[in-house]
Structure formats: C-alpha cells, structure tokens
Amino acid sequence: MVDSFRYLSPASTAIVRMLIANAPRELVPWTPLPQPLSEARIALVSTAALSMRIDRPFDTEGERANPWWGDPSYRVIPRTATERDVVASHLHIDTAYLEQDLDVVLPLRRLGELEGEGIIGSAAPSHYSVQGYLLDPTEFLATSVPAIAELMKRDAVDAAVFLPV
C-alpha cells in the first residue's frame, strides 16, 4: 500500500493535495524510436529508491526530519541485480513486495525475457533508481537527470521505460 502522505501533518497533506490538483499539466513530446523496437537498447528507471546493498542508500532520515524534502540523487542498478542485491529506501511504499520480487518495481527479468524473444534489441547494462518523492525537483532536474542521461548515452540506450511506484 502506498501512503504518499505518511510523514506529513494534516495541514501539509491538504496543501500538497491542493498543489497536485492545481499543478499545470504539460504535454510530453512524443519522440518515435528511430529504429524498430527489436533493434533498440532499453534502460529502466524506477522511482522505488532502490540501491545496491553495497551502495549508499537513499536518505530517509533527511525526509523524516523534513517531510517537504526528498533525496534528489540516483543509483545505478546493473542488469544482473536480484532481490538479494538491492535494498529499497522509500518511506511511502510497502517494500515487502519488491523484497520478494524485484520485477514489481524494476522488471529486469522481464526485460531479459523480451531481449531473449527478440522483442527488444537488448537490455542496457545499467538501469536507474530515484526516490519518487520530490516536492521540489530543482536539484534532481539540474544534477541527477543530466547525469543519468549521460550514462544512458554512454551505454548507447535508445529508449527508457519509467516505472513510477
């Protein structure tokens, strides 16, 4: 179960709900793939705040101290990662499901199956996770997004699948 407002006071919850309801809705530009999907390299981007067990986890203490803040960083997850390799640091989702089956938030095995069946050209060697709770995305957009884009370019990624949780 997702509880997006778990650490907010009732007044803060009301404000955030109002901000969401009144946020401008912008069209996302559609860019067709320049090649067939069967030739494309695909990367995944999850908002489940996943990190490899050997990496620094997302900062949940900062969010607990200030519920208006979210960790704007990102983590790289290799295509070979399994449930045993990752930890989720997300305060707004029940992590028990992904601890049993990583594919519910980062479907690496399913992507590998699509590659094996020739539906996609290949799965990228690296995938990405971010914290899906950012009331102010300024730092995330200025720092993490360009860094992820650069890493995807390095890996010759043709398309990314975004997995919001």
Coordinates of all heavy atoms in Angstrom, one line a residue, residues 55-134:
D55 N 26.0 0.0 -2.0 CA 26.0 1.4 -2.2 C 25.3 2.1 -1.1 O 24.6 1.5 -0.2 CB 25.3 1.7 -3.5 CG 26.0 1.2 -4.7 OD1 27.2 1.1 -4.7 OD2 25.3 1.0 -5.8
R56 N 25.5 3.4 -1.0 CA 24.8 4.3 0.0 C 23.3 4.3 -0.3 O 22.9 4.5 -1.5 CB 25.4 5.7 -0.2 CG 24.8 6.7 0.7 CD 25.4 8.1 0.6 NE 25.5 8.6 -0.8 CZ 24.5 9.3 -1.4 NH1 23.4 9.6 -0.7 NH2 24.6 9.7 -2.6
P57 N 22.5 4.0 0.7 CA 21.0 4.1 0.4 C 20.5 5.5 0.3 O 21.3 6.5 0.6 CB 20.5 3.4 1.7 CG 21.5 3.6 2.7 CD 22.8 3.7 2.0
F58 N 19.3 5.7 -0.2 CA 18.7 7.0 -0.2 C 18.5 7.5 1.2 O 18.3 6.7 2.1 CB 17.4 6.9 -1.0 CG 17.6 6.8 -2.5 CD1 17.7 5.6 -3.1 CD2 17.6 7.9 -3.3 CE1 17.9 5.4 -4.4 CE2 17.7 7.8 -4.7 CZ 17.9 6.6 -5.2
D59 N 18.5 8.8 1.3 CA 18.5 9.5 2.6 C 17.0 9.6 3.1 O 16.3 10.5 2.8 CB 19.1 10.9 2.5 CG 19.1 11.6 3.9 OD1 18.6 11.1 4.9 OD2 19.7 12.7 3.9
T60 N 16.6 8.6 3.9 CA 15.3 8.6 4.5 C 15.2 9.4 5.8 O 14.2 10.0 6.1 CB 14.8 7.2 4.8 OG1 15.7 6.5 5.6 CG2 14.6 6.4 3.5
E61 N 16.4 9.5 6.5 CA 16.4 10.3 7.7 C 16.2 11.8 7.4 O 15.5 12.5 8.2 CB 17.7 10.1 8.5 CG 17.9 8.7 9.0 CD 16.6 8.2 9.8 OE1 16.2 9.0 10.7 OE2 16.1 7.1 9.5
G62 N 16.7 12.3 6.3 CA 16.5 13.7 5.9 C 15.0 14.0 5.7 O 14.5 15.0 6.0
E63 N 14.4 13.0 5.0 CA 12.9 13.1 4.8 C 12.1 13.1 6.0 O 11.1 13.8 6.2 CB 12.5 12.1 3.8 CG 11.0 12.2 3.4 CD 10.5 11.2 2.5 OE1 11.3 10.5 1.8 OE2 9.3 11.0 2.4
R64 N 12.5 12.2 6.9 CA 11.8 12.1 8.2 C 11.9 13.4 9.0 O 10.9 13.8 9.6 CB 12.3 10.9 9.1 CG 11.8 9.6 8.6 CD 12.1 8.5 9.7 NE 11.6 7.3 9.3 CZ 12.3 6.3 8.7 NH1 13.5 6.4 8.5 NH2 11.7 5.1 8.4
A65 N 13.1 14.0 8.9 CA 13.3 15.3 9.6 C 12.6 16.4 9.0 O 12.1 17.4 9.6 CB 14.8 15.6 9.7
N66 N 12.5 16.4 7.7 CA 11.8 17.4 6.9 C 10.9 16.8 5.8 O 11.4 16.5 4.7 CB 12.8 18.4 6.3 CG 12.2 19.4 5.4 OD1 10.9 19.5 5.4 ND2 13.0 20.2 4.7
P67 N 9.7 16.5 6.1 CA 8.8 15.8 5.1 C 8.6 16.6 3.8 O 8.0 16.0 2.9 CB 7.5 15.7 5.9 CG 7.8 15.8 7.3 CD 9.0 16.7 7.4
W68 N 9.1 17.8 3.7 CA 9.0 18.6 2.5 C 10.2 18.3 1.6 O 10.2 18.8 0.5 CB 8.8 20.1 2.8 CG 7.5 20.4 3.3 CD1 7.2 20.4 4.7 CD2 6.3 20.6 2.6 NE1 5.8 20.7 4.8 CE2 5.3 20.9 3.6 CE3 6.0 20.7 1.3 CZ2 4.0 21.1 3.2 CZ3 4.7 21.0 0.9 CH2 3.7 21.2 1.9
W69 N 11.1 17.5 2.0 CA 12.4 17.2 1.3 C 12.4 15.8 0.9 O 11.9 14.9 1.5 CB 13.6 17.5 2.2 CG 14.9 17.3 1.5 CD1 15.5 18.1 0.7 CD2 15.7 16.1 1.6 NE1 16.7 17.6 0.2 CE2 16.8 16.3 0.8 CE3 15.5 14.9 2.2 CZ2 17.8 15.3 0.6 CZ3 16.5 13.9 2.0 CH2 17.6 14.1 1.2
G70 N 13.0 15.5 -0.3 CA 13.2 14.2 -0.8 C 14.6 14.1 -1.4 O 15.1 15.1 -1.9
D71 N 15.3 13.0 -1.3 CA 16.6 12.8 -1.7 C 16.6 12.9 -3.3 O 16.0 12.1 -4.0 CB 17.1 11.4 -1.3 CG 18.6 11.2 -1.6 OD1 19.1 11.8 -2.5 OD2 19.2 10.3 -0.9
P72 N 17.4 13.9 -3.8 CA 17.4 14.1 -5.3 C 18.4 13.3 -6.0 O 18.5 13.4 -7.3 CB 17.7 15.6 -5.4 CG 18.6 15.8 -4.2 CD 18.1 14.9 -3.1
S73 N 19.1 12.4 -5.4 CA 20.2 11.6 -6.0 C 19.6 10.4 -6.8 O 18.4 10.2 -6.8 CB 21.2 11.2 -5.0 OG 20.6 10.3 -4.1
Y74 N 20.5 9.7 -7.4 CA 20.1 8.5 -8.2 C 21.0 7.4 -7.9 O 22.1 7.6 -7.3 CB 20.0 8.8 -9.7 CG 21.4 9.0 -10.3 CD1 22.1 7.9 -10.9 CD2 22.0 10.2 -10.2 CE1 23.4 8.1 -11.4 CE2 23.3 10.4 -10.8 CZ 23.9 9.3 -11.3 OH 25.2 9.5 -11.8
R75 N 20.6 6.1 -8.2 CA 21.5 5.0 -8.1 C 21.5 4.2 -9.4 O 20.5 4.1 -10.1 CB 21.1 4.0 -6.9 CG 21.0 4.7 -5.6 CD 22.3 5.2 -5.0 NE 22.1 5.7 -3.7 CZ 21.8 7.0 -3.5 NH1 21.6 7.8 -4.5 NH2 21.7 7.5 -2.2
V76 N 22.7 3.6 -9.6 CA 22.8 2.7 -10.8 C 22.6 1.3 -10.4 O 23.2 0.8 -9.4 CB 24.2 2.9 -11.4 CG1 24.4 1.9 -12.6 CG2 24.4 4.3 -11.9
I77 N 21.7 0.6 -11.1 CA 21.4 -0.8 -10.8 C 21.8 -1.7 -12.0 O 21.3 -1.5 -13.1 CB 19.9 -1.0 -10.5 CG1 19.4 0.0 -9.5 CG2 19.6 -2.5 -10.1 CD1 19.9 -0.2 -8.1
P78 N 22.8 -2.6 -11.9 CA 23.2 -3.4 -13.0 C 22.1 -4.4 -13.4 O 21.2 -4.8 -12.6 CB 24.4 -4.2 -12.5 CG 24.3 -4.2 -11.0 CD 23.5 -2.9 -10.7
R79 N 22.1 -4.7 -14.7 CA 21.0 -5.6 -15.3 C 21.0 -7.0 -14.6 O 20.0 -7.7 -14.7 CB 21.2 -5.7 -16.8 CG 22.3 -6.6 -17.2 CD 22.4 -6.7 -18.7 NE 21.4 -7.7 -19.2 CZ 21.2 -8.0 -20.4 NH1 21.8 -7.3 -21.4 NH2 20.3 -8.9 -20.8
T80 N 22.0 -7.4 -13.9 CA 22.1 -8.7 -13.2 C 21.6 -8.6 -11.8 O 21.6 -9.7 -11.2 CB 23.6 -9.1 -13.2 OG1 24.4 -8.1 -12.6 CG2 24.1 -9.4 -14.6
A81 N 21.1 -7.5 -11.3 CA 20.7 -7.4 -9.9 C 19.4 -8.3 -9.7 O 18.6 -8.4 -10.5 CB 20.3 -5.9 -9.6
T82 N 19.4 -8.8 -8.5 CA 18.2 -9.6 -8.0 C 17.8 -9.0 -6.7 O 18.4 -8.1 -6.1 CB 18.6 -11.0 -7.8 OG1 19.5 -11.1 -6.7 CG2 19.2 -11.6 -9.1
E83 N 16.8 -9.6 -6.1 CA 16.2 -9.1 -4.8 C 17.3 -9.2 -3.7 O 17.3 -8.3 -2.9 CB 15.1 -10.1 -4.4 CG 13.9 -10.0 -5.3 CD 14.0 -10.9 -6.5 OE1 15.0 -11.6 -6.7 OE2 13.1 -10.9 -7.3
R84 N 18.2 -10.1 -3.8 CA 19.3 -10.2 -2.8 C 20.3 -9.1 -2.9 O 21.0 -8.8 -1.9 CB 20.0 -11.6 -3.0 CG 19.1 -12.8 -2.6 CD 19.9 -14.1 -2.8 NE 20.4 -14.2 -4.2 CZ 19.8 -14.7 -5.2 NH1 18.5 -15.0 -5.1 NH2 20.3 -14.8 -6.4
D85 N 20.4 -8.5 -4.0 CA 21.4 -7.4 -4.3 C 21.0 -6.0 -3.9 O 21.8 -5.2 -3.8 CB 21.8 -7.4 -5.8 CG 22.3 -8.8 -6.2 OD1 23.0 -9.4 -5.5 OD2 21.9 -9.2 -7.4
V86 N 19.7 -5.8 -3.8 CA 19.2 -4.4 -3.7 C 18.5 -4.2 -2.3 O 18.0 -5.2 -1.7 CB 18.2 -4.0 -4.8 CG1 18.9 -4.1 -6.2 CG2 17.0 -4.8 -4.8
V87 N 18.4 -2.9 -2.0 CA 17.6 -2.5 -0.8 C 16.8 -1.3 -1.2 O 17.2 -0.5 -2.1 CB 18.5 -2.2 0.4 CG1 19.4 -1.0 0.1 CG2 17.7 -2.0 1.6
A88 N 15.6 -1.2 -0.7 CA 14.7 -0.1 -1.0 C 14.7 0.9 0.2 O 14.5 0.4 1.3 CB 13.3 -0.5 -1.4
S89 N 14.8 2.1 -0.1 CA 14.8 3.2 1.0 C 13.7 4.2 0.6 O 13.9 5.3 0.4 CB 16.1 3.9 1.0 OG 17.2 3.0 1.3
H90 N 12.5 3.7 0.6 CA 11.3 4.5 0.2 C 10.3 4.5 1.3 O 9.9 3.4 1.7 CB 10.7 4.0 -1.1 CG 9.9 5.0 -1.8 ND1 8.9 5.7 -1.2 CD2 10.0 5.4 -3.1 CE1 8.3 6.5 -2.1 NE2 9.0 6.3 -3.3
L91 N 10.0 5.6 1.9 CA 9.1 5.7 3.0 C 7.7 5.6 2.7 O 6.8 5.5 3.6 CB 9.4 7.0 3.8 CG 10.8 7.1 4.4 CD1 10.9 8.5 5.0 CD2 11.1 6.0 5.4
H92 N 7.3 5.6 1.4 CA 5.9 5.7 1.0 C 5.4 4.5 0.3 O 4.3 4.5 -0.2 CB 5.7 7.0 0.1 CG 6.2 8.2 0.8 ND1 5.4 9.0 1.7 CD2 7.4 8.9 0.7 CE1 6.1 10.0 2.1 NE2 7.3 10.0 1.6
I93 N 6.1 3.4 0.3 CA 5.7 2.2 -0.3 C 6.0 1.0 0.7 O 6.9 1.1 1.5 CB 6.2 1.9 -1.7 CG1 7.8 1.7 -1.6 CG2 5.8 3.0 -2.7 CD1 8.4 1.3 -2.9
D94 N 5.2 0.0 0.5 CA 5.5 -1.3 1.3 C 6.6 -2.0 0.5 O 6.3 -2.5 -0.6 CB 4.2 -2.1 1.4 CG 4.4 -3.4 2.2 OD1 5.5 -3.7 2.5 OD2 3.4 -4.0 2.5
T95 N 7.7 -2.1 1.0 CA 8.9 -2.7 0.3 C 8.8 -4.3 0.4 O 9.6 -4.9 -0.3 CB 10.2 -2.2 0.9 OG1 10.3 -2.5 2.3 CG2 10.3 -0.7 0.7
A96 N 7.9 -4.9 1.1 CA 7.9 -6.3 1.3 C 7.7 -7.0 -0.1 O 8.2 -8.1 -0.4 CB 6.8 -6.7 2.2
Y97 N 6.9 -6.4 -1.0 CA 6.6 -6.9 -2.3 C 7.9 -7.0 -3.1 O 8.2 -8.0 -3.8 CB 5.5 -6.2 -3.0 CG 4.2 -6.2 -2.3 CD1 3.8 -5.0 -1.6 CD2 3.5 -7.3 -2.2 CE1 2.6 -5.1 -0.9 CE2 2.3 -7.4 -1.6 CZ 1.8 -6.2 -0.9 OH 0.6 -6.2 -0.2
L98 N 8.6 -5.9 -3.2 CA 9.8 -5.9 -4.0 C 10.9 -6.8 -3.4 O 11.8 -7.3 -4.1 CB 10.3 -4.5 -4.3 CG 10.9 -3.7 -3.2 CD1 12.4 -3.8 -3.1 CD2 10.5 -2.2 -3.4
E99 N 10.9 -7.0 -2.1 CA 11.9 -7.9 -1.5 C 11.7 -9.3 -1.9 O 12.6 -10.1 -1.9 CB 11.8 -7.7 0.0 CG 12.4 -6.4 0.5 CD 12.0 -6.1 1.9 OE1 11.4 -6.9 2.6 OE2 12.4 -4.9 2.4
Q100 N 10.4 -9.6 -2.3 CA 10.1 -11.0 -2.8 C 10.3 -11.1 -4.3 O 10.6 -12.1 -4.8 CB 8.6 -11.3 -2.4 CG 8.4 -11.4 -1.0 CD 6.9 -11.6 -0.7 OE1 6.1 -12.1 -1.4 NE2 6.5 -11.1 0.5
D101 N 10.0 -10.0 -5.0 CA 10.0 -10.0 -6.5 C 10.4 -8.6 -7.0 O 9.6 -7.7 -7.1 CB 8.7 -10.4 -7.1 CG 8.7 -10.5 -8.6 OD1 9.7 -10.3 -9.2 OD2 7.6 -10.9 -9.1
L102 N 11.7 -8.4 -7.3 CA 12.2 -7.1 -7.7 C 11.5 -6.6 -9.0 O 11.3 -5.4 -9.2 CB 13.7 -7.2 -8.0 CG 14.4 -6.0 -8.5 CD1 14.3 -4.9 -7.4 CD2 15.9 -6.3 -8.8
D103 N 10.9 -7.6 -9.8 CA 10.3 -7.2 -11.0 C 9.0 -6.3 -10.8 O 8.6 -5.7 -11.7 CB 9.9 -8.4 -11.8 CG 11.1 -9.0 -12.6 OD1 12.2 -8.5 -12.4 OD2 10.9 -10.0 -13.4
V104 N 8.5 -6.3 -9.6 CA 7.3 -5.4 -9.3 C 7.7 -3.9 -9.4 O 6.8 -3.1 -9.7 CB 6.6 -5.7 -8.0 CG1 6.1 -7.1 -8.0 CG2 7.4 -5.4 -6.8
V105 N 9.0 -3.6 -9.2 CA 9.4 -2.2 -9.3 C 10.5 -1.9 -10.3 O 10.8 -0.8 -10.7 CB 9.8 -1.6 -7.9 CG1 8.6 -1.5 -7.0 CG2 10.9 -2.4 -7.3
L106 N 11.2 -3.0 -10.7 CA 12.3 -2.9 -11.7 C 12.4 -4.3 -12.4 O 13.1 -5.2 -12.0 CB 13.6 -2.6 -11.0 CG 14.8 -2.2 -11.9 CD1 14.6 -0.9 -12.5 CD2 16.1 -2.2 -11.1
P107 N 11.6 -4.4 -13.5 CA 11.4 -5.7 -14.1 C 12.6 -6.1 -15.0 O 12.5 -6.3 -16.2 CB 10.1 -5.6 -14.9 CG 10.1 -4.1 -15.2 CD 10.7 -3.4 -14.0
L108 N 13.7 -6.4 -14.4 CA 14.9 -6.8 -15.1 C 14.8 -8.2 -15.7 O 15.2 -8.4 -16.9 CB 16.2 -6.7 -14.1 CG 16.5 -5.4 -13.6 CD1 17.6 -5.5 -12.5 CD2 17.0 -4.5 -14.7
R109 N 14.2 -9.1 -15.0 CA 14.0 -10.4 -15.6 C 13.0 -10.4 -16.8 O 13.3 -11.0 -17.8 CB 13.5 -11.4 -14.5 CG 14.6 -11.9 -13.6 CD 14.1 -13.0 -12.6 NE 13.1 -12.4 -11.7 CZ 13.4 -12.0 -10.5 NH1 14.6 -12.1 -10.0 NH2 12.5 -11.6 -9.7
R110 N 12.0 -9.6 -16.7 CA 11.0 -9.5 -17.8 C 11.7 -8.8 -19.0 O 11.5 -9.2 -20.1 CB 9.8 -8.7 -17.4 CG 9.0 -9.2 -16.2 CD 8.3 -10.6 -16.4 NE 9.2 -11.7 -16.2 CZ 9.6 -12.3 -15.1 NH1 9.2 -11.8 -13.9 NH2 10.3 -13.3 -15.1
L111 N 12.5 -7.8 -18.7 CA 13.2 -7.2 -19.8 C 14.2 -8.2 -20.5 O 14.3 -8.2 -21.7 CB 14.0 -6.0 -19.3 CG 14.6 -5.0 -20.3 CD1 13.5 -4.3 -21.1 CD2 15.5 -4.0 -19.6
G112 N 14.8 -9.0 -19.7 CA 15.7 -10.0 -20.3 C 14.9 -11.0 -21.1 O 15.4 -11.5 -22.1
E113 N 13.7 -11.3 -20.7 CA 12.9 -12.2 -21.5 C 12.5 -11.6 -22.8 O 12.5 -12.3 -23.9 CB 11.6 -12.6 -20.7 CG 11.8 -13.5 -19.5 CD 10.6 -13.7 -18.6 OE1 9.5 -13.1 -19.0 OE2 10.7 -14.3 -17.6
L114 N 12.2 -10.3 -22.8 CA 11.9 -9.6 -24.0 C 13.1 -9.6 -25.0 O 12.9 -9.7 -26.2 CB 11.4 -8.2 -23.7 CG 10.1 -8.0 -23.0 CD1 9.9 -6.6 -22.6 CD2 8.9 -8.6 -23.8
E115 N 14.3 -9.4 -24.4 CA 15.5 -9.5 -25.2 C 15.7 -10.9 -25.8 O 15.9 -11.0 -27.0 CB 16.7 -9.1 -24.3 CG 18.0 -9.2 -25.0 CD 19.2 -8.9 -24.1 OE1 19.0 -8.8 -22.9 OE2 20.3 -8.6 -24.7
G116 N 15.5 -11.9 -25.0 CA 15.6 -13.3 -25.4 C 14.6 -13.7 -26.5 O 15.0 -14.4 -27.4
E117 N 13.4 -13.1 -26.5 CA 12.4 -13.3 -27.5 C 12.6 -12.5 -28.8 O 11.8 -12.6 -29.7 CB 11.0 -13.1 -26.9 CG 10.7 -14.1 -25.8 CD 9.4 -13.7 -25.1 OE1 8.6 -12.9 -25.5 OE2 9.2 -14.3 -24.0
G118 N 13.6 -11.5 -28.7 CA 13.8 -10.7 -29.9 C 12.8 -9.5 -30.0 O 12.8 -8.8 -31.0
I119 N 12.0 -9.3 -28.9 CA 11.0 -8.2 -28.9 C 11.8 -6.8 -28.8 O 11.4 -5.9 -29.4 CB 10.0 -8.4 -27.8 CG1 9.1 -9.6 -28.2 CG2 9.1 -7.1 -27.7 CD1 8.2 -10.1 -27.1
I120 N 12.8 -6.8 -28.0 CA 13.7 -5.6 -27.9 C 15.1 -6.1 -28.4 O 15.4 -7.3 -28.4 CB 13.8 -5.1 -26.5 CG1 14.5 -6.0 -25.5 CG2 12.4 -4.6 -26.0 CD1 14.9 -5.4 -24.2
G121 N 15.9 -5.1 -28.8 CA 17.2 -5.5 -29.2 C 18.1 -5.9 -28.1 O 18.7 -7.0 -28.2
S122 N 18.1 -5.2 -27.0 CA 18.9 -5.6 -25.9 C 18.5 -4.8 -24.6 O 18.0 -3.7 -24.7 CB 20.4 -5.4 -26.1 OG 20.7 -4.0 -26.3
A123 N 18.8 -5.4 -23.5 CA 18.6 -4.6 -22.2 C 19.9 -3.9 -21.9 O 21.0 -4.5 -22.2 CB 18.3 -5.6 -21.1
A124 N 19.8 -2.7 -21.5 CA 21.1 -1.9 -21.2 C 21.8 -2.6 -20.0 O 21.2 -3.3 -19.2 CB 20.7 -0.5 -20.8
P125 N 23.1 -2.4 -20.0 CA 23.9 -3.0 -18.9 C 23.6 -2.3 -17.5 O 23.7 -3.0 -16.5 CB 25.3 -2.8 -19.3 CG 25.3 -1.6 -20.2 CD 24.0 -1.7 -20.9
S126 N 23.1 -1.1 -17.5 CA 22.8 -0.4 -16.3 C 21.4 0.2 -16.4 O 20.9 0.6 -17.4 CB 23.8 0.8 -16.1 OG 25.1 0.3 -16.0
H127 N 20.7 0.2 -15.2 CA 19.4 0.8 -15.0 C 19.5 1.7 -13.8 O 20.5 1.8 -13.1 CB 18.4 -0.4 -14.9 CG 18.4 -1.3 -16.0 ND1 17.8 -1.1 -17.2 CD2 19.2 -2.4 -16.2 CE1 18.0 -2.0 -18.1 NE2 18.9 -2.9 -17.5
Y128 N 18.4 2.4 -13.6 CA 18.5 3.5 -12.6 C 17.3 3.6 -11.7 O 16.2 3.2 -12.0 CB 18.6 4.9 -13.4 CG 19.8 4.8 -14.3 CD1 19.6 4.3 -15.6 CD2 21.0 5.1 -13.9 CE1 20.6 4.2 -16.5 CE2 22.1 4.9 -14.8 CZ 21.9 4.5 -16.1 OH 23.0 4.3 -16.9
S129 N 17.6 4.1 -10.5 CA 16.5 4.3 -9.5 C 16.7 5.6 -8.9 O 17.8 6.1 -8.6 CB 16.5 3.2 -8.4 OG 15.4 3.3 -7.6
V130 N 15.5 6.2 -8.6 CA 15.4 7.5 -8.0 C 14.4 7.4 -6.9 O 13.6 6.5 -6.8 CB 15.1 8.7 -9.0 CG1 16.2 8.8 -10.1 CG2 13.7 8.4 -9.6
Q131 N 14.4 8.4 -6.0 CA 13.3 8.4 -5.0 C 12.1 9.1 -5.6 O 12.2 10.3 -6.0 CB 13.8 9.2 -3.7 CG 12.8 9.1 -2.6 CD 13.4 9.9 -1.4 OE1 13.8 11.0 -1.5 NE2 13.3 9.2 -0.2
G132 N 11.0 8.5 -5.6 CA 9.8 9.0 -6.2 C 9.0 10.0 -5.4 O 7.9 10.3 -5.6
Y133 N 9.7 10.6 -4.4 CA 9.0 11.6 -3.6 C 9.9 12.9 -3.5 O 10.8 13.0 -2.8 CB 8.8 11.1 -2.1 CG 8.1 12.1 -1.2 CD1 6.8 12.2 -1.3 CD2 8.9 12.9 -0.4 CE1 6.1 13.2 -0.4 CE2 8.3 13.8 0.5 CZ 6.9 13.9 0.4 OH 6.3 14.8 1.2
L134 N 9.6 13.8 -4.5 CA 10.3 15.0 -4.5 C 9.4 16.1 -4.7 O 8.9 16.4 -5.8 CB 11.3 15.0 -5.7 CG 12.5 14.0 -5.6 CD1 13.2 13.9 -7.0 CD2 13.4 14.3 -4.5

